[in-house]
Amino acid sequence: MNEMSQPRPRKIPTLQSLSASQQAAIRAIPAHDAAQKVTCGATRPTGDFTTPERFLAEKAKIFRHFPVAVAPSGQLPEPNSVLAHNGYGVPLLLTRDKGGVVRAFLNVCRHKGSLLVESCETAKMGRVSCPYHAWTFGLNGDLVGVPRQELFEGLDKSTHGLVRLPAREAGGIIWVKLDKTADDDFSHVTDELVSDLDALGFPSAYVYGKRTFPIQANWKLVLEPFLEGYHVQRLHAQSIGQLFADVPSVHSRLGLHMRQISGKAQFEPTMLDVPGENIHKTVTHAYLLFPNTVIVTSPYYISLMIVMPVSERESVVDYYMLTQSAPDNPKAEELYSKSYQIIQGVFGNEDFRAAAISQTGLESGAIDELTYCGLEIAIPEFYKSLESLL
Ligand code: FES
Ligand SMILES: [Fe+2]
């Protein structure tokens, strides 16, 4: 958990505090008894989840080219701070300089290649010094100090700065391209997505808790439950199932990203007209930030999950619980800490577990394809986007 920051007055998020596009989507949710029956006949080959060839193609063509979410801004909130990150199998060093600008580098010393920062905890520092021979770099990547520099023949410090990766902070997320030769085009992070995330309060959100889950499942199997409502009444029957109805969500594409909005159980549109009502009590937003990041809203917090592929059968999820501000009274602390326990149980023991047992079943070779229904139609849409890039 981060240090407590200055308490900020809490605002109730209402329908009116959301973006115009979110409000329009919410207004389009039908009353549950008026929801349409949607059918779907899509399938996926089992090999997409089990073969190393497919996995390597996804890594090369998608994870190396696209801006991926690395962390919420709240994980690196203070000027003059750094955050090392290894989840993507690439040693990253994120920095926030004294002016607040975020940059990304490879966490590798230009002298002889040592890792610069070993711990993946956020740390306050104005420059980074290599543990090996103490070459020192500014947070803008410049090499600023070399002990006994007179012993290097013709060393040009200006060409020995840190290796930079394209990075952008937008919508309260730090996005990075993991390839040092990638261009600086971040148009994938669309304005519409950013205005949604801004309206949800991402840029100023506080990281109440972070937990890393290693999961024995292909990264796409970990994402699937967050793209469908079919499992909610079944897999979550003993936990959150009764909070939701068994009807399709309203889903919209924001570029390659996806937004799904669903009304809570017994939803009907007149509920939206209660003035001052916390909108997250009435509807749930679930986003897929293409390709691999999920957001789910709850009344008092937001879950952010970054699903990072390790191999065709292993993934790592960084789960973040984001709140509007640090808890500044015992009631808020109790609410957040209880929610943190509950949500880790639901996602960890139910959704992530479902992904792992599906991986085991698919690897047995028993079935050649997976089959999807009308409550899962965002999944084939996601695969359409993925296939268009492979
Ligand atoms: S490897 Fe970093 S200073 Fe030598
Ligand atoms: Fe779920």
mmCIF file of all heavy atoms in Angstrom, residues 72-120:
data_model
loop_
_atom_site.group_PDB
_atom_site.id
_atom_site.type_symbol
_atom_site.label_atom_id
_atom_site.label_comp_id
_atom_site.label_asym_id
_atom_site.label_seq_id
_atom_site.Cartn_x
_atom_site.Cartn_y
_atom_site.Cartn_z
ATOM 1 N N PRO A 72 -0.907 2.098 -13.387
ATOM 2 C CA PRO A 72 -1.714 3.317 -13.273
ATOM 3 C C PRO A 72 -0.812 4.465 -12.824
ATOM 4 O O PRO A 72 0.198 4.238 -12.143
ATOM 5 C CB PRO A 72 -2.736 2.964 -12.185
ATOM 6 C CG PRO A 72 -2.078 1.915 -11.362
ATOM 7 C CD PRO A 72 -1.152 1.152 -12.288
ATOM 8 N N SER A 73 -1.194 5.690 -13.193
ATOM 9 C CA SER A 73 -0.399 6.850 -12.777
ATOM 10 C C SER A 73 -0.193 6.877 -11.272
ATOM 11 O O SER A 73 0.862 7.288 -10.786
ATOM 12 C CB SER A 73 -1.110 8.141 -13.196
ATOM 13 O OG SER A 73 -1.199 8.201 -14.595
ATOM 14 N N GLY A 74 -1.203 6.420 -10.525
ATOM 15 C CA GLY A 74 -1.130 6.428 -9.060
ATOM 16 C C GLY A 74 -0.030 5.543 -8.492
ATOM 17 O O GLY A 74 0.279 5.617 -7.304
ATOM 18 N N GLN A 75 0.557 4.689 -9.327
ATOM 19 C CA GLN A 75 1.658 3.857 -8.835
ATOM 20 C C GLN A 75 2.980 4.636 -8.874
ATOM 21 O O GLN A 75 3.964 4.219 -8.286
ATOM 22 C CB GLN A 75 1.737 2.563 -9.681
ATOM 23 C CG GLN A 75 2.693 1.508 -9.166
ATOM 24 C CD GLN A 75 2.294 0.915 -7.819
ATOM 25 O OE1 GLN A 75 1.208 1.149 -7.304
ATOM 26 N NE2 GLN A 75 3.184 0.139 -7.232
ATOM 27 N N LEU A 76 2.978 5.752 -9.573
ATOM 28 C CA LEU A 76 4.188 6.593 -9.661
ATOM 29 C C LEU A 76 3.732 8.050 -9.489
ATOM 30 O O LEU A 76 3.850 8.879 -10.389
ATOM 31 C CB LEU A 76 4.864 6.385 -11.026
ATOM 32 C CG LEU A 76 6.250 6.991 -11.270
ATOM 33 C CD1 LEU A 76 7.305 6.365 -10.360
ATOM 34 C CD2 LEU A 76 6.660 6.813 -12.727
ATOM 35 N N PRO A 77 3.145 8.359 -8.311
ATOM 36 C CA PRO A 77 2.434 9.633 -8.217
ATOM 37 C C PRO A 77 3.325 10.854 -8.004
ATOM 38 O O PRO A 77 2.942 11.950 -8.384
ATOM 39 C CB PRO A 77 1.511 9.438 -7.001
ATOM 40 C CG PRO A 77 2.162 8.385 -6.166
ATOM 41 C CD PRO A 77 2.985 7.535 -7.095
ATOM 42 N N GLU A 78 4.498 10.676 -7.412
ATOM 43 C CA GLU A 78 5.274 11.843 -6.973
ATOM 44 C C GLU A 78 6.351 12.215 -7.985
ATOM 45 O O GLU A 78 6.971 11.338 -8.584
ATOM 46 C CB GLU A 78 5.995 11.508 -5.654
ATOM 47 C CG GLU A 78 5.123 10.889 -4.598
ATOM 48 C CD GLU A 78 4.414 11.931 -3.765
ATOM 49 O OE1 GLU A 78 4.770 13.116 -3.899
ATOM 50 O OE2 GLU A 78 3.508 11.555 -3.008
ATOM 51 N N PRO A 79 6.617 13.520 -8.133
ATOM 52 C CA PRO A 79 7.779 13.923 -8.932
ATOM 53 C C PRO A 79 9.052 13.354 -8.316
ATOM 54 O O PRO A 79 9.080 13.068 -7.108
ATOM 55 C CB PRO A 79 7.782 15.455 -8.827
ATOM 56 C CG PRO A 79 6.436 15.824 -8.330
ATOM 57 C CD PRO A 79 5.900 14.660 -7.548
ATOM 58 N N ASN A 80 10.101 13.221 -9.118
ATOM 59 C CA ASN A 80 11.365 12.657 -8.633
ATOM 60 C C ASN A 80 11.176 11.259 -8.065
ATOM 61 O O ASN A 80 11.523 10.980 -6.914
ATOM 62 C CB ASN A 80 12.009 13.558 -7.573
ATOM 63 C CG ASN A 80 12.820 14.673 -8.223
ATOM 64 O OD1 ASN A 80 13.255 14.546 -9.378
ATOM 65 N ND2 ASN A 80 13.002 15.762 -7.510
ATOM 66 N N SER A 81 10.609 10.370 -8.864
ATOM 67 C CA SER A 81 10.473 8.991 -8.394
ATOM 68 C C SER A 81 10.636 8.030 -9.577
ATOM 69 O O SER A 81 10.528 8.428 -10.745
ATOM 70 C CB SER A 81 9.135 8.776 -7.676
ATOM 71 O OG SER A 81 8.068 9.170 -8.492
ATOM 72 N N VAL A 82 10.932 6.791 -9.238
ATOM 73 C CA VAL A 82 11.171 5.770 -10.269
ATOM 74 C C VAL A 82 10.441 4.487 -9.904
ATOM 75 O O VAL A 82 10.139 4.234 -8.738
ATOM 76 C CB VAL A 82 12.688 5.455 -10.445
ATOM 77 C CG1 VAL A 82 13.496 6.728 -10.690
ATOM 78 C CG2 VAL A 82 13.251 4.684 -9.276
ATOM 79 N N LEU A 83 10.174 3.689 -10.928
ATOM 80 C CA LEU A 83 9.491 2.416 -10.732
ATOM 81 C C LEU A 83 10.056 1.408 -11.737
ATOM 82 O O LEU A 83 9.915 1.599 -12.942
ATOM 83 C CB LEU A 83 7.985 2.603 -10.972
ATOM 84 C CG LEU A 83 7.095 1.354 -10.943
ATOM 85 C CD1 LEU A 83 7.102 0.725 -9.541
ATOM 86 C CD2 LEU A 83 5.663 1.704 -11.337
ATOM 87 N N ALA A 84 10.718 0.374 -11.228
ATOM 88 C CA ALA A 84 11.179 -0.702 -12.110
ATOM 89 C C ALA A 84 10.028 -1.684 -12.296
ATOM 90 O O ALA A 84 9.181 -1.842 -11.407
ATOM 91 C CB ALA A 84 12.388 -1.398 -11.509
ATOM 92 N N HIS A 85 9.985 -2.342 -13.455
ATOM 93 C CA HIS A 85 8.837 -3.199 -13.785
ATOM 94 C C HIS A 85 9.328 -4.326 -14.690
ATOM 95 O O HIS A 85 9.981 -4.060 -15.703
ATOM 96 C CB HIS A 85 7.796 -2.338 -14.517
ATOM 97 C CG HIS A 85 6.521 -3.052 -14.835
ATOM 98 N ND1 HIS A 85 6.401 -3.910 -15.905
ATOM 99 C CD2 HIS A 85 5.316 -3.037 -14.220
ATOM 100 C CE1 HIS A 85 5.164 -4.385 -15.938
ATOM 101 N NE2 HIS A 85 4.485 -3.868 -14.923
ATOM 102 N N ASN A 86 9.004 -5.584 -14.329
ATOM 103 C CA ASN A 86 9.503 -6.713 -15.132
ATOM 104 C C ASN A 86 8.403 -7.592 -15.696
ATOM 105 O O ASN A 86 8.693 -8.630 -16.288
ATOM 106 C CB ASN A 86 10.391 -7.623 -14.265
ATOM 107 C CG ASN A 86 11.675 -6.933 -13.903
ATOM 108 O OD1 ASN A 86 12.209 -6.163 -14.688
ATOM 109 N ND2 ASN A 86 12.159 -7.180 -12.688
ATOM 110 N N GLY A 87 7.137 -7.207 -15.489
ATOM 111 C CA GLY A 87 6.030 -8.115 -15.798
ATOM 112 C C GLY A 87 5.984 -8.584 -17.247
ATOM 113 O O GLY A 87 5.511 -9.683 -17.535
ATOM 114 N N TYR A 88 6.432 -7.767 -18.185
ATOM 115 C CA TYR A 88 6.369 -8.144 -19.602
ATOM 116 C C TYR A 88 7.602 -8.901 -20.058
ATOM 117 O O TYR A 88 7.774 -9.136 -21.258
ATOM 118 C CB TYR A 88 6.191 -6.894 -20.461
ATOM 119 C CG TYR A 88 4.790 -6.310 -20.408
ATOM 120 C CD1 TYR A 88 4.521 -5.154 -19.679
ATOM 121 C CD2 TYR A 88 3.744 -6.914 -21.094
ATOM 122 C CE1 TYR A 88 3.234 -4.606 -19.643
ATOM 123 C CE2 TYR A 88 2.458 -6.377 -21.060
ATOM 124 C CZ TYR A 88 2.211 -5.233 -20.334
ATOM 125 O OH TYR A 88 0.939 -4.702 -20.293
ATOM 126 N N GLY A 89 8.481 -9.246 -19.108
ATOM 127 C CA GLY A 89 9.700 -9.933 -19.504
ATOM 128 C C GLY A 89 10.716 -8.976 -20.117
ATOM 129 O O GLY A 89 11.715 -9.403 -20.704
ATOM 130 N N VAL A 90 10.467 -7.687 -20.011
ATOM 131 C CA VAL A 90 11.385 -6.650 -20.494
ATOM 132 C C VAL A 90 11.705 -5.803 -19.258
ATOM 133 O O VAL A 90 10.784 -5.337 -18.592
ATOM 134 C CB VAL A 90 10.693 -5.765 -21.569
ATOM 135 C CG1 VAL A 90 11.587 -4.616 -21.988
ATOM 136 C CG2 VAL A 90 10.270 -6.596 -22.766
ATOM 137 N N PRO A 91 12.987 -5.600 -18.926
ATOM 138 C CA PRO A 91 13.281 -4.803 -17.730
ATOM 139 C C PRO A 91 13.024 -3.322 -17.981
ATOM 140 O O PRO A 91 13.757 -2.676 -18.724
ATOM 141 C CB PRO A 91 14.766 -5.080 -17.475
ATOM 142 C CG PRO A 91 15.323 -5.484 -18.803
ATOM 143 C CD PRO A 91 14.201 -6.101 -19.592
ATOM 144 N N LEU A 92 11.952 -2.806 -17.403
ATOM 145 C CA LEU A 92 11.556 -1.412 -17.638
ATOM 146 C C LEU A 92 11.908 -0.552 -16.445
ATOM 147 O O LEU A 92 11.853 -1.007 -15.295
ATOM 148 C CB LEU A 92 10.036 -1.322 -17.831
ATOM 149 C CG LEU A 92 9.408 -2.076 -18.996
ATOM 150 C CD1 LEU A 92 7.884 -1.903 -18.960
ATOM 151 C CD2 LEU A 92 9.968 -1.553 -20.301
ATOM 152 N N LEU A 93 12.225 0.685 -16.734
ATOM 153 C CA LEU A 93 12.394 1.677 -15.672
ATOM 154 C C LEU A 93 11.526 2.877 -16.033
ATOM 155 O O LEU A 93 11.763 3.533 -17.055
ATOM 156 C CB LEU A 93 13.865 2.098 -15.560
ATOM 157 C CG LEU A 93 14.143 3.073 -14.408
ATOM 158 C CD1 LEU A 93 13.938 2.374 -13.059
ATOM 159 C CD2 LEU A 93 15.564 3.620 -14.495
ATOM 160 N N LEU A 94 10.495 3.110 -15.227
ATOM 161 C CA LEU A 94 9.653 4.295 -15.434
ATOM 162 C C LEU A 94 10.155 5.378 -14.503
ATOM 163 O O LEU A 94 10.505 5.087 -13.349
ATOM 164 C CB LEU A 94 8.192 3.985 -15.083
ATOM 165 C CG LEU A 94 7.546 2.786 -15.773
ATOM 166 C CD1 LEU A 94 6.106 2.622 -15.284
ATOM 167 C CD2 LEU A 94 7.579 2.953 -17.288
ATOM 168 N N THR A 95 10.195 6.600 -15.004
ATOM 169 C CA THR A 95 10.609 7.705 -14.137
ATOM 170 C C THR A 95 9.579 8.824 -14.242
ATOM 171 O O THR A 95 8.915 8.972 -15.274
ATOM 172 C CB THR A 95 11.985 8.279 -14.545
ATOM 173 O OG1 THR A 95 11.863 8.915 -15.827
ATOM 174 C CG2 THR A 95 13.061 7.202 -14.625
ATOM 175 N N ARG A 96 9.438 9.574 -13.159
ATOM 176 C CA ARG A 96 8.655 10.821 -13.204
ATOM 177 C C ARG A 96 9.607 11.921 -12.737
ATOM 178 O O ARG A 96 10.087 11.886 -11.603
ATOM 179 C CB ARG A 96 7.414 10.730 -12.308
ATOM 180 C CG ARG A 96 6.496 11.946 -12.469
ATOM 181 C CD ARG A 96 5.302 11.912 -11.522
ATOM 182 N NE ARG A 96 4.316 10.870 -11.778
ATOM 183 C CZ ARG A 96 3.370 10.920 -12.735
ATOM 184 N NH1 ARG A 96 3.309 11.950 -13.544
ATOM 185 N NH2 ARG A 96 2.505 9.931 -12.862
ATOM 186 N N ASP A 97 9.892 12.864 -13.606
ATOM 187 C CA ASP A 97 10.909 13.876 -13.271
ATOM 188 C C ASP A 97 10.318 14.956 -12.368
ATOM 189 O O ASP A 97 9.138 14.915 -12.015
ATOM 190 C CB ASP A 97 11.569 14.436 -14.537
ATOM 191 C CG ASP A 97 10.634 15.335 -15.342
ATOM 192 O OD1 ASP A 97 9.563 15.734 -14.828
ATOM 193 O OD2 ASP A 97 10.975 15.631 -16.508
ATOM 194 N N LYS A 98 11.144 15.945 -12.037
ATOM 195 C CA LYS A 98 10.661 16.924 -11.065
ATOM 196 C C LYS A 98 9.538 17.781 -11.621
ATOM 197 O O LYS A 98 8.754 18.342 -10.870
ATOM 198 C CB LYS A 98 11.805 17.765 -10.502
ATOM 199 C CG LYS A 98 12.528 18.676 -11.471
ATOM 200 C CD LYS A 98 13.527 19.502 -10.649
ATOM 201 C CE LYS A 98 14.203 20.617 -11.429
ATOM 202 N NZ LYS A 98 14.928 20.230 -12.635
ATOM 203 N N GLY A 99 9.400 17.813 -12.941
ATOM 204 C CA GLY A 99 8.287 18.537 -13.543
ATOM 205 C C GLY A 99 7.054 17.661 -13.737
ATOM 206 O O GLY A 99 6.054 18.109 -14.271
ATOM 207 N N GLY A 100 7.126 16.391 -13.340
ATOM 208 C CA GLY A 100 5.960 15.511 -13.437
ATOM 209 C C GLY A 100 5.913 14.685 -14.718
ATOM 210 O O GLY A 100 4.983 13.894 -14.914
ATOM 211 N N VAL A 101 6.898 14.866 -15.602
ATOM 212 C CA VAL A 101 6.862 14.139 -16.886
ATOM 213 C C VAL A 101 7.298 12.686 -16.697
ATOM 214 O O VAL A 101 8.312 12.409 -16.049
ATOM 215 C CB VAL A 101 7.780 14.826 -17.922
ATOM 216 C CG1 VAL A 101 7.850 14.026 -19.214
ATOM 217 C CG2 VAL A 101 7.306 16.251 -18.171
ATOM 218 N N VAL A 102 6.507 11.764 -17.267
ATOM 219 C CA VAL A 102 6.818 10.335 -17.173
ATOM 220 C C VAL A 102 7.594 9.897 -18.410
ATOM 221 O O VAL A 102 7.254 10.268 -19.529
ATOM 222 C CB VAL A 102 5.517 9.517 -17.036
ATOM 223 C CG1 VAL A 102 5.783 8.027 -17.202
ATOM 224 C CG2 VAL A 102 4.862 9.788 -15.688
ATOM 225 N N ARG A 103 8.645 9.103 -18.185
ATOM 226 C CA ARG A 103 9.403 8.516 -19.302
ATOM 227 C C ARG A 103 9.615 7.037 -19.016
ATOM 228 O O ARG A 103 9.533 6.605 -17.861
ATOM 229 C CB ARG A 103 10.768 9.191 -19.441
ATOM 230 C CG ARG A 103 10.710 10.657 -19.851
ATOM 231 C CD ARG A 103 12.119 11.218 -20.055
ATOM 232 N NE ARG A 103 12.104 12.641 -20.407
ATOM 233 C CZ ARG A 103 12.013 13.634 -19.526
ATOM 234 N NH1 ARG A 103 11.933 13.370 -18.228
ATOM 235 N NH2 ARG A 103 12.007 14.894 -19.936
ATOM 236 N N ALA A 104 9.927 6.290 -20.064
ATOM 237 C CA ALA A 104 10.243 4.862 -19.879
ATOM 238 C C ALA A 104 11.586 4.573 -20.518
ATOM 239 O O ALA A 104 11.899 5.092 -21.601
ATOM 240 C CB ALA A 104 9.167 3.999 -20.514
ATOM 241 N N PHE A 105 12.375 3.745 -19.836
ATOM 242 C CA PHE A 105 13.690 3.331 -20.336
ATOM 243 C C PHE A 105 13.834 1.836 -20.121
ATOM 244 O O PHE A 105 13.110 1.231 -19.331
ATOM 245 C CB PHE A 105 14.806 4.034 -19.533
ATOM 246 C CG PHE A 105 14.722 5.535 -19.564
ATOM 247 C CD1 PHE A 105 14.141 6.234 -18.508
ATOM 248 C CD2 PHE A 105 15.196 6.245 -20.653
ATOM 249 C CE1 PHE A 105 14.044 7.620 -18.542
ATOM 250 C CE2 PHE A 105 15.106 7.639 -20.690
ATOM 251 C CZ PHE A 105 14.528 8.325 -19.633
ATOM 252 N N LEU A 106 14.823 1.265 -20.801
ATOM 253 C CA LEU A 106 15.238 -0.071 -20.399
ATOM 254 C C LEU A 106 16.074 0.106 -19.131
ATOM 255 O O LEU A 106 16.911 1.018 -19.048
ATOM 256 C CB LEU A 106 16.012 -0.749 -21.525
ATOM 257 C CG LEU A 106 15.096 -1.094 -22.704
ATOM 258 C CD1 LEU A 106 15.889 -1.500 -23.935
ATOM 259 C CD2 LEU A 106 14.104 -2.205 -22.321
ATOM 260 N N ASN A 107 15.822 -0.760 -18.158
ATOM 261 C CA ASN A 107 16.434 -0.632 -16.825
ATOM 262 C C ASN A 107 17.853 -1.216 -16.847
ATOM 263 O O ASN A 107 18.172 -2.126 -16.079
ATOM 264 C CB ASN A 107 15.514 -1.368 -15.835
ATOM 265 C CG ASN A 107 15.987 -1.304 -14.405
ATOM 266 O OD1 ASN A 107 16.805 -0.456 -14.054
ATOM 267 N ND2 ASN A 107 15.477 -2.211 -13.572
ATOM 268 N N VAL A 108 18.661 -0.736 -17.791
ATOM 269 C CA VAL A 108 19.948 -1.377 -18.074
ATOM 270 C C VAL A 108 21.037 -0.306 -18.184
ATOM 271 O O VAL A 108 20.876 0.672 -18.909
ATOM 272 C CB VAL A 108 19.843 -2.168 -19.410
ATOM 273 C CG1 VAL A 108 21.191 -2.728 -19.813
ATOM 274 C CG2 VAL A 108 18.816 -3.297 -19.293
ATOM 275 N N CYS A 109 22.118 -0.508 -17.470
ATOM 276 C CA CYS A 109 23.206 0.466 -17.448
ATOM 277 C C CYS A 109 23.971 0.480 -18.769
ATOM 278 O O CYS A 109 24.246 -0.573 -19.357
ATOM 279 C CB CYS A 109 24.155 0.120 -16.301
ATOM 280 S SG CYS A 109 25.521 1.267 -16.172
ATOM 281 N N ARG A 110 24.331 1.680 -19.223
ATOM 282 C CA ARG A 110 25.065 1.808 -20.489
ATOM 283 C C ARG A 110 26.543 1.446 -20.339
ATOM 284 O O ARG A 110 27.262 1.392 -21.317
ATOM 285 C CB ARG A 110 24.947 3.244 -21.022
ATOM 286 C CG ARG A 110 23.641 3.548 -21.708
ATOM 287 C CD ARG A 110 23.339 2.658 -22.902
ATOM 288 N NE ARG A 110 24.119 2.934 -24.079
ATOM 289 C CZ ARG A 110 23.762 3.720 -25.078
ATOM 290 N NH1 ARG A 110 22.595 4.322 -25.054
ATOM 291 N NH2 ARG A 110 24.550 3.893 -26.127
ATOM 292 N N HIS A 111 27.004 1.210 -19.117
ATOM 293 C CA HIS A 111 28.403 0.822 -18.961
ATOM 294 C C HIS A 111 28.591 -0.634 -19.353
ATOM 295 O O HIS A 111 29.124 -0.951 -20.406
ATOM 296 C CB HIS A 111 28.876 1.083 -17.521
ATOM 297 C CG HIS A 111 30.287 0.630 -17.267
ATOM 298 N ND1 HIS A 111 30.683 0.056 -16.077
ATOM 299 C CD2 HIS A 111 31.389 0.653 -18.054
ATOM 300 C CE1 HIS A 111 31.976 -0.245 -16.155
ATOM 301 N NE2 HIS A 111 32.431 0.115 -17.338
ATOM 302 N N LYS A 112 28.095 -1.556 -18.523
ATOM 303 C CA LYS A 112 28.280 -2.971 -18.851
ATOM 304 C C LYS A 112 26.992 -3.784 -18.718
ATOM 305 O O LYS A 112 27.033 -4.993 -18.523
ATOM 306 C CB LYS A 112 29.382 -3.567 -17.967
ATOM 307 C CG LYS A 112 30.753 -2.904 -18.226
ATOM 308 C CD LYS A 112 31.932 -3.817 -18.003
ATOM 309 C CE LYS A 112 32.061 -4.260 -16.563
ATOM 310 N NZ LYS A 112 33.294 -5.060 -16.351
ATOM 311 N N GLY A 113 25.867 -3.055 -18.752
ATOM 312 C CA GLY A 113 24.606 -3.787 -18.863
ATOM 313 C C GLY A 113 23.955 -4.237 -17.566
ATOM 314 O O GLY A 113 22.967 -4.969 -17.597
ATOM 315 N N SER A 114 24.470 -3.803 -16.446
ATOM 316 C CA SER A 114 23.838 -4.216 -15.178
ATOM 317 C C SER A 114 22.418 -3.651 -15.081
ATOM 318 O O SER A 114 22.121 -2.582 -15.625
ATOM 319 C CB SER A 114 24.683 -3.675 -14.021
ATOM 320 O OG SER A 114 23.939 -3.675 -12.827
ATOM 321 N N LEU A 115 21.536 -4.363 -14.371
ATOM 322 C CA LEU A 115 20.249 -3.761 -14.029
ATOM 323 C C LEU A 115 20.534 -2.579 -13.114
ATOM 324 O O LEU A 115 21.418 -2.650 -12.254
ATOM 325 C CB LEU A 115 19.362 -4.755 -13.283
ATOM 326 C CG LEU A 115 18.755 -5.893 -14.108
ATOM 327 C CD1 LEU A 115 17.866 -6.746 -13.222
ATOM 328 C CD2 LEU A 115 17.961 -5.362 -15.304
ATOM 329 N N LEU A 116 19.761 -1.510 -13.293
ATOM 330 C CA LEU A 116 20.009 -0.319 -12.474
ATOM 331 C C LEU A 116 19.232 -0.362 -11.171
ATOM 332 O O LEU A 116 19.763 -0.098 -10.104
ATOM 333 C CB LEU A 116 19.592 0.925 -13.266
ATOM 334 C CG LEU A 116 20.479 1.232 -14.471
ATOM 335 C CD1 LEU A 116 19.801 2.223 -15.389
ATOM 336 C CD2 LEU A 116 21.820 1.774 -13.991
ATOM 337 N N VAL A 117 17.940 -0.658 -11.269
ATOM 338 C CA VAL A 117 17.084 -0.684 -10.075
ATOM 339 C C VAL A 117 16.525 -2.092 -9.984
ATOM 340 O O VAL A 117 15.902 -2.580 -10.924
ATOM 341 C CB VAL A 117 15.940 0.351 -10.209
ATOM 342 C CG1 VAL A 117 15.003 0.266 -9.024
ATOM 343 C CG2 VAL A 117 16.502 1.758 -10.363
ATOM 344 N N GLU A 118 16.788 -2.772 -8.871
ATOM 345 C CA GLU A 118 16.357 -4.172 -8.768
ATOM 346 C C GLU A 118 14.958 -4.335 -8.186
ATOM 347 O O GLU A 118 14.218 -5.215 -8.574
ATOM 348 C CB GLU A 118 17.368 -4.959 -7.938
ATOM 349 C CG GLU A 118 18.662 -5.211 -8.699
ATOM 350 C CD GLU A 118 19.684 -5.889 -7.832
ATOM 351 O OE1 GLU A 118 19.693 -7.131 -7.794
ATOM 352 O OE2 GLU A 118 20.453 -5.157 -7.168
ATOM 353 N N SER A 119 14.611 -3.482 -7.206
ATOM 354 C CA SER A 119 13.311 -3.642 -6.557
ATOM 355 C C SER A 119 12.218 -3.053 -7.440
ATOM 356 O O SER A 119 12.413 -2.023 -8.103
ATOM 357 C CB SER A 119 13.331 -2.904 -5.220
ATOM 358 O OG SER A 119 12.024 -2.546 -4.854
ATOM 359 N N CYS A 120 11.073 -3.702 -7.473
ATOM 360 C CA CYS A 120 9.952 -3.173 -8.258
ATOM 361 C C CYS A 120 8.992 -2.342 -7.411
ATOM 362 O O CYS A 120 7.824 -2.178 -7.763
ATOM 363 C CB CYS A 120 9.245 -4.308 -8.994
ATOM 364 S SG CYS A 120 10.270 -4.991 -10.315
#
